[in-house]
Amino acid sequence: MSELVTGEAVALELRPARLPSRALAVLLDLVAALAVYVAVTIAVVVSTASLDEAAQAALSIATFVLVLVGGPIAVETLSHGRSLGKMACGLRVVRDDGGPIRFRHALVRGLIGVIEILMTLGVVACIASFVSARGRRLGDVFAGTLVVRERLPVTRTGFVPPPPPWLSGRFSGLDLSAVPDGLWLAVRQYLTRMQQLDPQVGWSMAERLASDLAARTGTPVPQGVPPAAYLAAVVQERQAREARRAFGSDAARSATSATVAPVTSGTTAPTVAQAEGGLQAAAAPPASHGSAGPSARAREVVSEPSGEGRSEESAEVPASERPRTGFVPPA
């Protein structure tokens, strides 16, 4: 599922960078890398003039590999896909699901880039970009990455709205390893643009995405949870796991408690009320949906800590006393 098109012909997809902007970014990166390579080579030649020819040749090869191969890999890894040329052109390398790249992605891109950019003067990369529908070169195909436009018009729909508080941490036991990157991309793009959709179209799309996500995780959607709220909660759980894996438990708690999560730069953050209002509009089913009345889900089971440690006590709370979350249960 690399692209999801709604009934209103709205494609939930990242905006791939075009070949001219990518070529300009690569050219700027090559100029900077060659300048550093020439400076390092001169320094190495001057400092190793007393060595024999074999040692000088070995140092020359090591300099080439470290500067022209290892340099771009290190820059893309540390900058999360923003090299000097890409920052100048407003581009960024991301994963297929829209997330930031890691070392393995930059490594594959850099190694294949030696062949399709340096050794062939960019001819192979240009041909691959022309053939690919998303403008990807061979390094992007093998690494599972995509170069996208990072500077987009300011919009209030560029953020993933937070789930309701009563769903935070509820899906910590889900197995998300089988969910493909394309499905994550579709879910994130739906959440950021659902306010632009017709209620009927948005509800059916949320149900379809929630069904696909539940099929991949092996756990059905909990009864009484709106599909848009379910999607937002699972996306937040994935972000918390990535933050925990990359930065530790403190960053994971920060990601879980964050009210909004940016998708692209150059946008302004909406207020919490706007984010909850968007999820409320998406979570409210159209008039033709649903046959059960709200009284069917008027009570829920809550858990409270008691004594030493944590023990769960089931208590029925009337719907009028439940905390307000901004979601409307299916009517």
Side-chain angles (χ1 to χ4, degrees):
M1 183 185 295
S2 61
E3 185 178 35
L4 183 65
V5 181
T6 71
E8 299 173 329
V10 177
L12 302 182
E13 186 72 42
L14 294 175
R15 298 188 182 183
R18 298 185 179 275
L19 182 59
S21 59
R22 293 193 60 180
L24 179 59
V26 171
L27 181 61
L28 294 176
D29 289 336
L30 286 178
V31 170
L34 288 176
V36 174
Y37 175 70
V38 171
V40 173
T41 300
I42 294 175
V44 170
V45 170
V46 172
S47 61
T48 60
S50 60
L51 298 178
D52 56 7
E53 295 182 357
Q56 291 180 354
L59 288 176
S60 299
I61 296 175
T63 302
F64 174 84
V65 173
L66 290 177
V67 176
L68 296 182
V69 179
I73 294 175
V75 169
E76 284 196 352
T77 302
L78 296 176
S79 63
H80 299 291
R82 298 186 186 97
S83 62
L84 179 63
K86 291 181 176 62
M87 284 191 292
C89 297
L91 308 180
R92 183 181 182 182
V93 182
V94 298
R95 300 194 307 255
D96 282 339
D97 65 340
I101 64 172
R102 300 178 183 172
F103 172 73
R104 60 184 179 89
H105 303 97
L107 178 63
V108 174
R109 281 175 49 83
L111 294 179
I112 298 180
V114 175
I115 300 175
E116 63 174 339
I117 296 179
L118 295 180
M119 293 186 177
T120 63
L121 300 179
V123 175
V124 174
C126 292
I127 295 175
S129 297
F130 274 122
V131 173
S132 175
R134 303 170 71 183
R136 302 199 298 177
R137 63 178 179 90
L138 295 181
D140 293 316
V141 174
F142 285 101
T145 58
L146 177 67
V147 180
V148 298
R149 294 172 53 194
E150 189 176 30
R151 297 172 187 167
L152 300 176
V154 176
T155 173
R156 290 185 298 177
T157 60
F159 293 83
V160 177
W166 55 277
L167 279 182
S168 296
R170 183 170 179 178
F171 302 103
S172 58
L174 282 182
D175 181 12
L176 306 179
S177 59
V179 181
D181 291 342
L183 182 55
W184 285 123
L185 174 62
V187 171
R188 290 180 61 181
Q189 292 300 304
Y190 163 76
L191 291 173
T192 58
R193 302 181 63 181
M194 60 188 176
Q195 298 184 48
Q196 302 176 2
L197 306 177
D198 178 79
Q200 182 79 23
V201 175
W203 178 265
S204 61
M205 182 179 298
E207 286 185 330
R208 179 154 56 95
L209 289 173
S211 177
D212 293 343
L213 193 58
R216 295 287 184 172
T217 60
T219 303
V221 181
Q223 187 177 6
V225 176
Y230 169 76
L231 296 175
V234 176
V235 168
Q236 185 192 63
E237 175 62 28
R238 182 176 187 254
Q239 292 174 345
R241 293 184 186 182
E242 287 190 347
R244 187 184 305 113
R245 183 164 51 248
F247 306 107
S249 58
D250 293 339
R253 285 193 293 268
S254 300
T256 304
S257 60
T259 56
V260 292
V263 174
T264 57
S265 65
T267 58
T268 56
T271 62
V272 176
Q274 290 172 334
E276 291 188 350
L279 275 179
Q280 178 179 0
S288 59
H289 267 276
S291 57
S295 59
R297 301 183 182 94
R299 309 173 91 74
E300 68 174 0
V301 176
V302 297
S303 301
E304 297 180 353
S306 62
E308 297 181 0
R310 288 182 176 269
S311 61
E312 297 186 354
E313 295 183 359
S314 299
E316 293 187 351
V317 179
S320 59
E321 298 180 5
R322 292 165 55 181
R324 300 181 62 184
T325 63
F327 285 84
V328 178

